Amino acid sequence: MALRTLIARNPLRAAAPVASRGIQTFSLPDLPYDYGELEPAISAEIMQLHHQKHHQTYITNYNKALEQLDAAAAKGDASTVVKLQSAIKFNGGGHVNHSIFWKNLAPIRAGGGEPPHGSLHKAIDSNFGSFEALIQKMNAEGAAVQGSGWVWLGLDKEFKRLVVETTGNQASVKDPLVTKGASLVPLLGIDVWEHAYYLQYKNVRPDYLKNIWKVINWKYASEVFDKESA
Amino acid sequence: MAAAVATPLKFTFSSSHGSTRRLQWRNNQRSVKRPYRGAITAKIEHKPPPYSLEALEPHMSRETFEYHWGKHHRAYVDNLNKQIVGTELDTMPLEEIILATYNKGDLLPPFNNAAQVWNHEFFWESMKPGGGGQPSQEVLDLIKRDFGSFEAFVTEFKAAAATQFGSGWAWLVYKANKLNVGNAVNPLPSEEDKKLVVVKSPNAINPLPLLTIDVWEHAYYLDFQNRRPDYISTFMEKLVSWDAVSLRLEAAKARAAEREREEERARNEYEGDDSQTDPQPVEMYGTDSDDSEAD
């Protein structure tokens, strides 16, 4: 729920649902930077494919599943409603995760890579020892994800602490946000699906993880942290 | 996992699961089954595809093989060898390691690497230069029996590969004498998998794999980027080795028949022995099955 609220609040153009055939569908949000602006950490080619193809496909399939869900619910077709859940979770999760991911990145000229200040910085120090220790932990856990998935820095609102979690595939719409406690808010998610880095880094995921910190938008993470921990 | 247990082409089944028998196996491996050139302990090999790295071009590029076989497959092999060195696993053949580390579902750390090594070997052998086309008459007849038509099978196999969420594999398996298509995340089955999950417990009702396609993104990203459906179509039309499927089918049929005999024998043994309160499937194959299937 927290996640959905964040997305809805976000000012990115076109991220809002659009009405179509009676139900709300989703469309691809614009990136707040150009595809080439994260180079050399992430190539323009990767950014373009990742945004225009992968993210768009999640949205297309999410909308399709939602339309099917709407039709099935209208007919009282319970088994179809249940069957659609995995497609909704996967594709909807892909849309939500990528929408966060784009905001987690920023060109260096726009402050990408600049470590967090203020309350988030303090929270990182007290939870992980240091900013470097957090990065090390996320790199290690991200590298260890088997197959496709994500590594997250989240705020556990219930226990008022920061946590690092990994999720498989696009499961984050549920985990870590719901199944690991309804109060877990994602501050930063790093996509470790191969499509996020393969054209540039091939099999060497650790290099991708090492370099992505140069374009991480800590301002965004800090804003969410301040808002959610207030 | 089940893929490994059931591998029709090269699996010599063993019932050795207990530690005492494992020692026997170790001797056996050294002297007979795994004559690893000059090595003191047997290492799992980084087995090359049965064709050159550019042999599948333009459908699967040499560059893809250089990474997929040369880096990804190799990393699984290297990591597995690191994990098993000095343990009782380090002289077992790959299939035995998978069986042992599957550990009745309570996976031991080397399982993932071992299963991935097996899957990749099986995948390379599922393709050939000039592949595609139609299967042998026998395979075709079975496909028609179980899927209705060859086209229906292709549609189902493609769908399994395309709808595998995230990284994983899609399989054609021989299960209880019926062909079916399944997809499996690797190496663990999840409840969301289609009904024929290859990575399953090593008991006698495991599906026997005939064909697989790797749908991890690294398998196709350099050649097809996000276009997984194009990769799957190319695999089916230009790469699939129906020869391999035919050979595997023969072995699977023999294997299934043997399983039935072994189960029957085990049932009879258990009925006559009340002390066996906790029958373990792997041990149900009897002690003489080591010799019943030659490589």
Tab-separated table of all heavy atoms in Angstrom, chain B residues 174-223:
chain	number	residue	atom	x	y	z
B	174	TYR	N	9.052	-36.701	-20.637
B	174	TYR	CA	8.327	-37.952	-20.783
B	174	TYR	C	7.898	-38.338	-19.377
B	174	TYR	O	8.723	-38.612	-18.514
B	174	TYR	CB	9.274	-38.994	-21.357
B	174	TYR	CG	8.678	-40.350	-21.626
B	174	TYR	CD1	7.842	-40.560	-22.717
B	174	TYR	CD2	8.990	-41.432	-20.812
B	174	TYR	CE1	7.327	-41.808	-22.980
B	174	TYR	CE2	8.480	-42.688	-21.074
B	174	TYR	CZ	7.649	-42.872	-22.161
B	174	TYR	OH	7.146	-44.117	-22.430
B	175	LYS	N	6.629	-38.289	-19.137
B	175	LYS	CA	6.186	-38.491	-17.765
B	175	LYS	C	5.073	-39.521	-17.745
B	175	LYS	O	4.047	-39.341	-18.389
B	175	LYS	CB	5.664	-37.174	-17.202
B	175	LYS	CG	5.241	-37.262	-15.766
B	175	LYS	CD	4.543	-35.972	-15.361
B	175	LYS	CE	4.141	-36.042	-13.905
B	175	LYS	NZ	3.261	-34.937	-13.542
B	176	ALA	N	5.289	-40.555	-16.982
B	176	ALA	CA	4.280	-41.604	-16.871
B	176	ALA	C	3.794	-42.020	-18.253
B	176	ALA	O	2.604	-42.143	-18.509
B	176	ALA	CB	3.112	-41.142	-16.010
B	177	ASN	N	4.753	-42.163	-19.122
B	177	ASN	CA	4.467	-42.595	-20.492
B	177	ASN	C	3.691	-41.587	-21.328
B	177	ASN	O	3.147	-41.922	-22.357
B	177	ASN	CB	3.738	-43.932	-20.514
B	177	ASN	CG	4.586	-45.010	-19.873
B	177	ASN	OD1	5.785	-45.053	-20.101
B	177	ASN	ND2	3.974	-45.839	-19.070
B	178	LYS	N	3.613	-40.359	-20.873
B	178	LYS	CA	2.991	-39.314	-21.690
B	178	LYS	C	3.957	-38.163	-21.876
B	178	LYS	O	4.703	-37.809	-20.982
B	178	LYS	CB	1.725	-38.777	-21.002
B	178	LYS	CG	0.516	-39.656	-21.169
B	178	LYS	CD	-0.744	-38.864	-20.865
B	178	LYS	CE	-1.288	-38.221	-22.112
B	178	LYS	NZ	-2.610	-37.632	-21.959
B	179	LEU	N	3.904	-37.559	-23.032
B	179	LEU	CA	4.715	-36.375	-23.259
B	179	LEU	C	3.989	-35.169	-22.689
B	179	LEU	O	2.781	-35.087	-22.708
B	179	LEU	CB	4.918	-36.133	-24.756
B	179	LEU	CG	5.681	-37.196	-25.532
B	179	LEU	CD1	5.750	-36.792	-26.989
B	179	LEU	CD2	7.072	-37.354	-24.972
B	180	ASN	N	4.758	-34.256	-22.199
B	180	ASN	CA	4.139	-33.020	-21.746
B	180	ASN	C	5.170	-31.904	-21.761
B	180	ASN	O	6.348	-32.136	-21.931
B	180	ASN	CB	3.553	-33.201	-20.353
B	180	ASN	CG	2.296	-32.384	-20.199
B	180	ASN	OD1	2.214	-31.258	-20.680
B	180	ASN	ND2	1.305	-32.945	-19.539
B	181	VAL	N	4.695	-30.708	-21.582
B	181	VAL	CA	5.588	-29.559	-21.567
B	181	VAL	C	5.534	-28.927	-20.196
B	181	VAL	O	4.470	-28.773	-19.612
B	181	VAL	CB	5.157	-28.506	-22.619
B	181	VAL	CG1	5.888	-27.200	-22.404
B	181	VAL	CG2	5.418	-29.022	-24.017
B	182	GLY	N	6.672	-28.599	-19.691
B	182	GLY	CA	6.676	-27.919	-18.407
B	182	GLY	C	7.712	-26.833	-18.414
B	182	GLY	O	8.629	-26.857	-19.205
B	183	ASN	N	7.566	-25.885	-17.547
B	183	ASN	CA	8.666	-24.958	-17.377
B	183	ASN	C	9.012	-24.867	-15.904
B	183	ASN	O	8.202	-25.116	-15.025
B	183	ASN	CB	8.403	-23.591	-17.988
B	183	ASN	CG	7.172	-22.934	-17.449
B	183	ASN	OD1	6.519	-23.463	-16.553
B	183	ASN	ND2	6.832	-21.792	-17.987
B	184	ALA	N	10.216	-24.568	-15.661
B	184	ALA	CA	10.691	-24.600	-14.289
B	184	ALA	C	11.635	-23.443	-14.047
B	184	ALA	O	12.480	-23.164	-14.870
B	184	ALA	CB	11.424	-25.905	-14.019
B	185	VAL	N	11.450	-22.791	-12.951
B	185	VAL	CA	12.483	-21.860	-12.559
B	185	VAL	C	13.658	-22.717	-12.145
B	185	VAL	O	13.498	-23.866	-11.817
B	185	VAL	CB	12.074	-20.946	-11.392
B	185	VAL	CG1	10.973	-20.032	-11.812
B	185	VAL	CG2	11.701	-21.758	-10.180
B	186	ASN	N	14.790	-22.138	-12.212
B	186	ASN	CA	15.948	-22.951	-11.929
B	186	ASN	C	16.684	-22.453	-10.712
B	186	ASN	O	16.940	-21.285	-10.629
B	186	ASN	CB	16.899	-22.877	-13.112
B	186	ASN	CG	17.520	-24.218	-13.308
B	186	ASN	OD1	17.599	-25.019	-12.377
B	186	ASN	ND2	17.965	-24.453	-14.503
B	187	PRO	N	17.041	-23.311	-9.843
B	187	PRO	CA	16.898	-24.759	-9.885
B	187	PRO	C	15.718	-25.265	-9.082
B	187	PRO	O	15.493	-26.457	-9.003
B	187	PRO	CB	18.174	-25.216	-9.201
B	187	PRO	CG	18.368	-24.192	-8.138
B	187	PRO	CD	17.841	-22.895	-8.692
B	188	LEU	N	14.974	-24.375	-8.488
B	188	LEU	CA	13.909	-24.827	-7.595
B	188	LEU	C	12.546	-24.701	-8.228
B	188	LEU	O	12.250	-23.705	-8.862
B	188	LEU	CB	13.914	-23.946	-6.333
B	188	LEU	CG	14.747	-24.451	-5.179
B	188	LEU	CD1	14.721	-23.420	-4.069
B	188	LEU	CD2	14.202	-25.767	-4.669
B	189	PRO	N	11.719	-25.666	-8.035
B	189	PRO	CA	10.354	-25.528	-8.520
B	189	PRO	C	9.593	-24.556	-7.622
B	189	PRO	O	9.868	-24.470	-6.433
B	189	PRO	CB	9.788	-26.931	-8.376
B	189	PRO	CG	10.562	-27.546	-7.274
B	189	PRO	CD	11.928	-26.919	-7.319
B	190	SER	N	8.697	-23.817	-8.189
B	190	SER	CA	7.838	-23.021	-7.341
B	190	SER	C	6.412	-23.466	-7.605
B	190	SER	O	6.140	-24.155	-8.585
B	190	SER	CB	7.987	-21.525	-7.654
B	190	SER	OG	7.089	-21.162	-8.664
B	191	GLU	N	5.544	-23.052	-6.741
B	191	GLU	CA	4.169	-23.511	-6.900
B	191	GLU	C	3.506	-22.932	-8.132
B	191	GLU	O	2.468	-23.396	-8.571
B	191	GLU	CB	3.376	-23.170	-5.640
B	191	GLU	CG	3.842	-24.026	-4.479
B	191	GLU	CD	3.148	-23.696	-3.191
B	191	GLU	OE1	2.249	-22.845	-3.225
B	191	GLU	OE2	3.517	-24.293	-2.183
B	192	GLU	N	4.143	-21.906	-8.676
B	192	GLU	CA	3.551	-21.292	-9.852
B	192	GLU	C	3.992	-21.951	-11.136
B	192	GLU	O	3.520	-21.610	-12.210
B	192	GLU	CB	3.905	-19.806	-9.894
B	192	GLU	CG	3.183	-19.034	-8.830
B	192	GLU	CD	3.627	-17.589	-8.751
B	192	GLU	OE1	4.531	-17.200	-9.504
B	192	GLU	OE2	3.059	-16.877	-7.937
B	193	ASP	N	4.910	-22.909	-11.044
B	193	ASP	CA	5.365	-23.574	-12.248
B	193	ASP	C	4.238	-24.359	-12.883
B	193	ASP	O	3.290	-24.766	-12.228
B	193	ASP	CB	6.504	-24.539	-11.935
B	193	ASP	CG	7.751	-23.785	-11.543
B	193	ASP	OD1	7.879	-22.629	-11.961
B	193	ASP	OD2	8.570	-24.349	-10.806
B	194	LYS	N	4.397	-24.583	-14.165
B	194	LYS	CA	3.463	-25.478	-14.836
B	194	LYS	C	3.614	-26.861	-14.243
B	194	LYS	O	4.565	-27.161	-13.550
B	194	LYS	CB	3.741	-25.468	-16.335
B	194	LYS	CG	3.569	-24.101	-16.972
B	194	LYS	CD	2.102	-23.732	-17.178
B	194	LYS	CE	1.867	-22.239	-17.221
B	194	LYS	NZ	2.590	-21.576	-18.293
B	195	LYS	N	2.686	-27.727	-14.574
B	195	LYS	CA	2.607	-28.964	-13.802
B	195	LYS	C	3.821	-29.879	-13.906
B	195	LYS	O	4.089	-30.636	-13.009
B	195	LYS	CB	1.354	-29.734	-14.187
B	195	LYS	CG	1.246	-30.038	-15.664
B	195	LYS	CD	-0.089	-30.701	-15.969
B	195	LYS	CE	-0.298	-30.807	-17.458
B	195	LYS	NZ	-1.572	-31.479	-17.768
B	196	LEU	N	4.538	-29.803	-15.020
B	196	LEU	CA	5.692	-30.683	-15.109
B	196	LEU	C	6.968	-29.929	-14.804
B	196	LEU	O	7.605	-29.384	-15.679
B	196	LEU	CB	5.771	-31.307	-16.485
B	196	LEU	CG	4.719	-32.375	-16.667
B	196	LEU	CD1	4.753	-32.885	-18.066
B	196	LEU	CD2	4.915	-33.479	-15.660
B	197	VAL	N	7.298	-29.924	-13.580
B	197	VAL	CA	8.503	-29.236	-13.166
B	197	VAL	C	9.642	-30.234	-13.214
B	197	VAL	O	9.548	-31.321	-12.671
B	197	VAL	CB	8.323	-28.697	-11.750
B	197	VAL	CG1	9.570	-27.987	-11.295
B	197	VAL	CG2	7.140	-27.747	-11.731
B	198	VAL	N	10.664	-29.862	-13.889
B	198	VAL	CA	11.776	-30.793	-14.011
B	198	VAL	C	12.531	-30.928	-12.705
B	198	VAL	O	12.990	-31.986	-12.339
B	198	VAL	CB	12.719	-30.332	-15.133
B	198	VAL	CG1	14.030	-31.077	-15.066
B	198	VAL	CG2	12.046	-30.582	-16.461
B	199	VAL	N	12.641	-29.815	-12.034
B	199	VAL	CA	13.410	-29.824	-10.801
B	199	VAL	C	12.518	-30.315	-9.676
B	199	VAL	O	11.859	-29.547	-9.010
B	199	VAL	CB	13.918	-28.410	-10.496
B	199	VAL	CG1	14.883	-28.424	-9.342
B	199	VAL	CG2	14.588	-27.836	-11.719
B	200	LYS	N	12.495	-31.590	-9.516
B	200	LYS	CA	11.551	-32.181	-8.574
B	200	LYS	C	12.222	-33.295	-7.805
B	200	LYS	O	13.358	-33.623	-8.067
B	200	LYS	CB	10.365	-32.715	-9.393
B	200	LYS	CG	8.984	-32.639	-8.784
B	200	LYS	CD	8.638	-31.405	-8.047
B	200	LYS	CE	7.201	-31.512	-7.550
B	200	LYS	NZ	6.856	-30.446	-6.646
B	201	SER	N	11.507	-33.878	-6.895
B	201	SER	CA	12.164	-34.852	-6.030
B	201	SER	C	12.619	-36.096	-6.807
B	201	SER	O	11.993	-36.494	-7.783
B	201	SER	CB	11.216	-35.261	-4.911
B	201	SER	OG	10.104	-35.907	-5.464
B	202	PRO	N	13.688	-36.681	-6.347
B	202	PRO	CA	14.294	-37.773	-7.110
B	202	PRO	C	13.608	-39.106	-6.858
B	202	PRO	O	14.238	-40.074	-6.465
B	202	PRO	CB	15.721	-37.800	-6.566
B	202	PRO	CG	15.576	-37.345	-5.167
B	202	PRO	CD	14.447	-36.356	-5.153
B	203	ASN	N	12.335	-39.159	-7.067
B	203	ASN	CA	11.694	-40.454	-6.907
B	203	ASN	C	11.228	-40.973	-8.254
B	203	ASN	O	11.460	-40.359	-9.286
B	203	ASN	CB	10.548	-40.383	-5.898
B	203	ASN	CG	9.502	-39.401	-6.335
B	203	ASN	OD1	9.276	-39.215	-7.522
B	203	ASN	ND2	8.856	-38.759	-5.392
B	204	ALA	N	10.598	-42.087	-8.215
B	204	ALA	CA	10.387	-42.799	-9.467
B	204	ALA	C	9.384	-42.148	-10.399
B	204	ALA	O	9.293	-42.521	-11.560
B	204	ALA	CB	9.950	-44.226	-9.169
B	205	ILE	N	8.603	-41.214	-9.932
B	205	ILE	CA	7.632	-40.611	-10.837
B	205	ILE	C	8.137	-39.319	-11.463
B	205	ILE	O	7.390	-38.572	-12.054
B	205	ILE	CB	6.264	-40.358	-10.154
B	205	ILE	CG1	6.446	-39.450	-8.954
B	205	ILE	CG2	5.604	-41.660	-9.784
B	205	ILE	CD1	5.152	-38.792	-8.516
B	206	ASN	N	9.414	-39.080	-11.332
B	206	ASN	CA	9.961	-37.901	-11.977
B	206	ASN	C	9.736	-37.939	-13.465
B	206	ASN	O	9.842	-38.975	-14.084
B	206	ASN	CB	11.469	-37.836	-11.760
B	206	ASN	CG	11.787	-37.299	-10.401
B	206	ASN	OD1	10.976	-36.609	-9.822
B	206	ASN	ND2	12.948	-37.629	-9.912
B	207	PRO	N	9.488	-36.766	-14.033
B	207	PRO	CA	9.451	-36.715	-15.482
B	207	PRO	C	10.846	-36.957	-16.043
B	207	PRO	O	11.841	-36.649	-15.402
B	207	PRO	CB	8.994	-35.291	-15.774
B	207	PRO	CG	9.324	-34.511	-14.564
B	207	PRO	CD	9.265	-35.465	-13.424
B	208	LEU	N	10.895	-37.527	-17.202
B	208	LEU	CA	12.171	-37.769	-17.868
B	208	LEU	C	12.308	-36.745	-18.982
B	208	LEU	O	11.496	-36.704	-19.893
B	208	LEU	CB	12.187	-39.193	-18.422
B	208	LEU	CG	12.071	-40.265	-17.336
B	208	LEU	CD1	11.543	-41.567	-17.913
B	208	LEU	CD2	13.406	-40.490	-16.674
B	209	PRO	N	13.332	-35.909	-18.914
B	209	PRO	CA	13.424	-34.803	-19.870
B	209	PRO	C	13.863	-35.259	-21.256
B	209	PRO	O	14.734	-36.106	-21.395
B	209	PRO	CB	14.474	-33.896	-19.245
B	209	PRO	CG	15.327	-34.808	-18.454
B	209	PRO	CD	14.433	-35.904	-17.947
B	210	LEU	N	13.241	-34.658	-22.242
B	210	LEU	CA	13.585	-34.956	-23.626
B	210	LEU	C	14.207	-33.753	-24.321
B	210	LEU	O	14.977	-33.897	-25.253
B	210	LEU	CB	12.329	-35.383	-24.398
B	210	LEU	CG	11.553	-36.580	-23.833
B	210	LEU	CD1	10.317	-36.842	-24.676
B	210	LEU	CD2	12.436	-37.813	-23.772
B	211	LEU	N	13.819	-32.572	-23.874
B	211	LEU	CA	14.226	-31.355	-24.584
B	211	LEU	C	14.129	-30.177	-23.619
B	211	LEU	O	13.207	-30.122	-22.805
B	211	LEU	CB	13.264	-31.123	-25.757
B	211	LEU	CG	13.460	-29.872	-26.605
B	211	LEU	CD1	14.788	-29.946	-27.350
B	211	LEU	CD2	12.306	-29.715	-27.590
B	212	THR	N	15.071	-29.261	-23.742
B	212	THR	CA	14.951	-28.050	-22.939
B	212	THR	C	15.403	-26.829	-23.715
B	212	THR	O	16.217	-26.925	-24.631
B	212	THR	CB	15.750	-28.139	-21.625
B	212	THR	OG1	15.332	-27.075	-20.755
B	212	THR	CG2	17.257	-27.998	-21.852
B	213	ILE	N	14.842	-25.695	-23.335
B	213	ILE	CA	15.332	-24.408	-23.831
B	213	ILE	C	15.607	-23.518	-22.625
B	213	ILE	O	14.805	-23.442	-21.694
B	213	ILE	CB	14.331	-23.733	-24.810
B	213	ILE	CG1	14.893	-22.376	-25.275
B	213	ILE	CG2	12.951	-23.577	-24.196
B	213	ILE	CD1	14.101	-21.740	-26.410
B	214	ASP	N	16.782	-22.918	-22.666
B	214	ASP	CA	17.201	-22.013	-21.603
B	214	ASP	C	16.585	-20.644	-21.889
B	214	ASP	O	16.836	-20.063	-22.941
B	214	ASP	CB	18.735	-21.922	-21.619
B	214	ASP	CG	19.310	-21.121	-20.459
B	214	ASP	OD1	18.542	-20.412	-19.779
B	214	ASP	OD2	20.530	-21.198	-20.251
B	215	VAL	N	15.779	-20.141	-20.972
B	215	VAL	CA	15.218	-18.798	-21.182
B	215	VAL	C	15.710	-17.801	-20.140
B	215	VAL	O	15.052	-16.811	-19.868
B	215	VAL	CB	13.668	-18.799	-21.296
B	215	VAL	CG1	13.234	-19.482	-22.575
B	215	VAL	CG2	13.001	-19.432	-20.094
B	216	TRP	N	16.874	-18.077	-19.563
B	216	TRP	CA	17.552	-16.993	-18.864
B	216	TRP	C	17.883	-15.937	-19.911
B	216	TRP	O	18.163	-16.280	-21.070
B	216	TRP	CB	18.864	-17.491	-18.233
B	216	TRP	CG	18.696	-18.259	-16.962
B	216	TRP	CD1	17.926	-19.366	-16.763
B	216	TRP	CD2	19.334	-17.971	-15.707
B	216	TRP	NE1	18.056	-19.790	-15.457
B	216	TRP	CE2	18.906	-18.962	-14.791
B	216	TRP	CE3	20.226	-16.983	-15.272
B	216	TRP	CZ2	19.336	-18.983	-13.462
B	216	TRP	CZ3	20.657	-17.018	-13.956
B	216	TRP	CH2	20.212	-17.997	-13.059
B	217	GLU	N	17.886	-14.703	-19.522
B	217	GLU	CA	18.156	-13.656	-20.512
B	217	GLU	C	19.539	-13.808	-21.136
B	217	GLU	O	19.737	-13.494	-22.308
B	217	GLU	CB	17.987	-12.273	-19.878
B	217	GLU	CG	16.512	-11.945	-19.657
B	217	GLU	CD	16.292	-10.618	-18.925
B	217	GLU	OE1	17.056	-10.317	-17.997
B	217	GLU	OE2	15.347	-9.906	-19.286
B	218	HIS	N	20.504	-14.313	-20.380
B	218	HIS	CA	21.852	-14.420	-20.963
B	218	HIS	C	21.880	-15.405	-22.141
B	218	HIS	O	22.815	-15.394	-22.927
B	218	HIS	CB	22.910	-14.766	-19.909
B	218	HIS	CG	22.768	-16.117	-19.262
B	218	HIS	ND1	22.755	-16.287	-17.898
B	218	HIS	CD2	22.647	-17.358	-19.781
B	218	HIS	CE1	22.634	-17.576	-17.619
B	218	HIS	NE2	22.569	-18.247	-18.732
B	219	ALA	N	20.875	-16.269	-22.232
B	219	ALA	CA	20.848	-17.240	-23.323
B	219	ALA	C	20.545	-16.577	-24.659
B	219	ALA	O	20.886	-17.109	-25.711
B	219	ALA	CB	19.806	-18.325	-23.042
B	220	TYR	N	19.908	-15.434	-24.636
B	220	TYR	CA	19.477	-14.836	-25.900
B	220	TYR	C	19.705	-13.336	-25.998
B	220	TYR	O	19.491	-12.751	-27.050
B	220	TYR	CB	17.989	-15.141	-26.147
B	220	TYR	CG	17.043	-14.612	-25.070
B	220	TYR	CD1	16.556	-13.306	-25.126
B	220	TYR	CD2	16.651	-15.412	-24.013
B	220	TYR	CE1	15.700	-12.826	-24.154
B	220	TYR	CE2	15.793	-14.942	-23.037
B	220	TYR	CZ	15.313	-13.641	-23.108
B	220	TYR	OH	14.474	-13.173	-22.140
B	221	TYR	N	20.162	-12.711	-24.933
B	221	TYR	CA	20.140	-11.252	-24.946
B	221	TYR	C	21.079	-10.637	-25.983
B	221	TYR	O	20.735	-9.650	-26.631
B	221	TYR	CB	20.420	-10.676	-23.550
B	221	TYR	CG	19.649	-9.396	-23.342
B	221	TYR	CD1	18.312	-9.430	-22.966
B	221	TYR	CD2	20.234	-8.163	-23.597
B	221	TYR	CE1	17.575	-8.269	-22.837
B	221	TYR	CE2	19.499	-6.991	-23.467
B	221	TYR	CZ	18.168	-7.053	-23.082
B	221	TYR	OH	17.432	-5.906	-22.963
B	222	LEU	N	22.247	-11.225	-26.179
B	222	LEU	CA	23.187	-10.655	-27.149
B	222	LEU	C	22.652	-10.797	-28.582
B	222	LEU	O	22.915	-9.951	-29.430
B	222	LEU	CB	24.555	-11.333	-27.034
B	222	LEU	CG	25.277	-11.115	-25.700
B	222	LEU	CD1	26.602	-11.862	-25.698
B	222	LEU	CD2	25.509	-9.627	-25.420
B	223	ASP	N	21.913	-11.844	-28.839
B	223	ASP	CA	21.392	-12.069	-30.194
B	223	ASP	C	20.004	-11.481	-30.412
B	223	ASP	O	19.659	-11.076	-31.512
B	223	ASP	CB	21.344	-13.575	-30.491
B	223	ASP	CG	22.740	-14.189	-30.572
B	223	ASP	OD1	23.680	-13.466	-30.943
B	223	ASP	OD2	22.884	-15.382	-30.259
